[in-house]
Amino acid sequence: MTAQALDSAAPGEDRLVHGAAPSWFARQWALWSRVLAPLRPFDAPRGRATAWDASWPLARELTSVRRARRLVTAQLSEWDVGDLADAAELLVSELVTNALRHTRGPLRLNLQLCRGRLLCEVEDTESTGPVRGAAEPDDEGGRGTELVDLLADAWGSTRTATGKTVWFELGPVDRFPAAPAAPAAPAAPAAA
C-alpha cells in the first residue's frame, strides 16, 4: 500500500497525493494554474490546450460510466497509447461511479497526455475528497480507493474553485521518442 501525504500548498488548496510526491515547482505550478484558470461551466468541455488534451461533460446518469469508459478507450486509441486502455478504463469507471454516488451536480472527464504520462481527472462540484474505507470480506463495495491505489502510479484529490478534481496518473508512455536518432557519419571514399 502506498503511503499517503497531505500537501497543503496554500490556504484553500488541499492536495491529497498517493504515490510519488511531486516537486515543489510542480506543486506551485499546479496551484497557480488552478487558481488562475477561468471558471467554466461543467456542461461544456474544457478547451483543448494541445492536441494531447481531451475533455467531456458527463450527465448525472448511470450510463455516464459506460460513456466515460468508451470515451477513454477511443481517445487512447486515437493517441496511439492503447496499451494503457485497460487500466485507464477500469480506473475511470471507478472515479465516475464514485462521483455519481457521492456527489451532486455536473461532472466532467478530462484526459491529458504530457511528458510521457497519462493524467485523467474527474471534476465535480463537491469540495469533500474521497474517503478510504475499510471493507469487510463480505462487503459488496468499498474497495474503490484500494483499486485506484494499486493500479495508478499516483492519484489524489485537488480542491478547486468549483469543487474538486479526483485524478490519477498512468505511465510511462512509450509513444514519444526520447530523442531523434543521430545521422550516420558519411563513409570514407574508397582508395583506388
Side-chain angles (χ1 to χ4, degrees):
M1 183 184 299
T2 308
Q4 293 181 346
L6 181 60
D7 175 350
S8 296
E13 173 78 13
D14 295 333
R15 182 173 178 155
L16 184 61
V17 178
H18 303 271
S23 68
W24 178 87
F25 180 76
R27 290 190 314 265
Q28 294 301 314
W29 180 263
L31 167 69
W32 287 108
S33 64
R34 293 277 183 193
V35 169
L36 298 175
L39 296 179
R40 58 195 180 272
F42 275 28
D43 58 350
R46 184 172 69 179
R48 284 186 176 216
T50 68
W52 305 106
D53 286 325
S55 176
W56 305 272
L58 297 175
R60 291 210 54 87
E61 47 192 49
L62 294 177
T63 57
S64 290
V65 177
R66 179 178 54 211
R67 180 173 183 257
R69 287 192 305 258
R70 288 181 180 169
L71 289 168
V72 166
T73 55
Q75 187 64 57
L76 294 181
S77 177
E78 182 181 320
W79 286 341
D80 197 24
V81 290
D83 53 327
L84 297 177
D86 289 338
E89 183 180 11
L90 181 62
L91 294 174
V92 163
S93 178
E94 183 60 39
L95 264 54
V96 172
T97 300
N98 284 347
L100 288 171
R101 289 184 68 187
H102 302 291
T103 68
R104 288 179 237 166
L107 305 173
R108 184 174 30 238
L109 171 64
N110 305 313
L111 289 179
Q112 182 181 38
L113 197 57
C114 183
R115 295 184 189 92
R117 303 191 64 76
L118 174 69
L119 172 66
C120 177
E121 302 174 326
V122 175
E123 295 181 73
D124 62 54
T125 57
E126 298 286 328
S127 62
T128 56
V131 176
R132 182 180 300 241
E136 296 295 323
D138 294 338
D139 290 347
E140 291 183 16
R143 294 176 183 83
T145 54
E146 293 295 325
L147 185 64
V148 175
D149 201 31
L150 288 171
L151 294 178
D153 292 337
W155 72 278
S157 176
T158 305
R159 283 190 188 172
T160 63
T162 56
K164 75 172 173 306
T165 300
V166 180
W167 57 271
F168 68 84
E169 284 187 357
L170 294 174
V173 176
D174 296 330
R175 167 85 167 84
F176 304 102

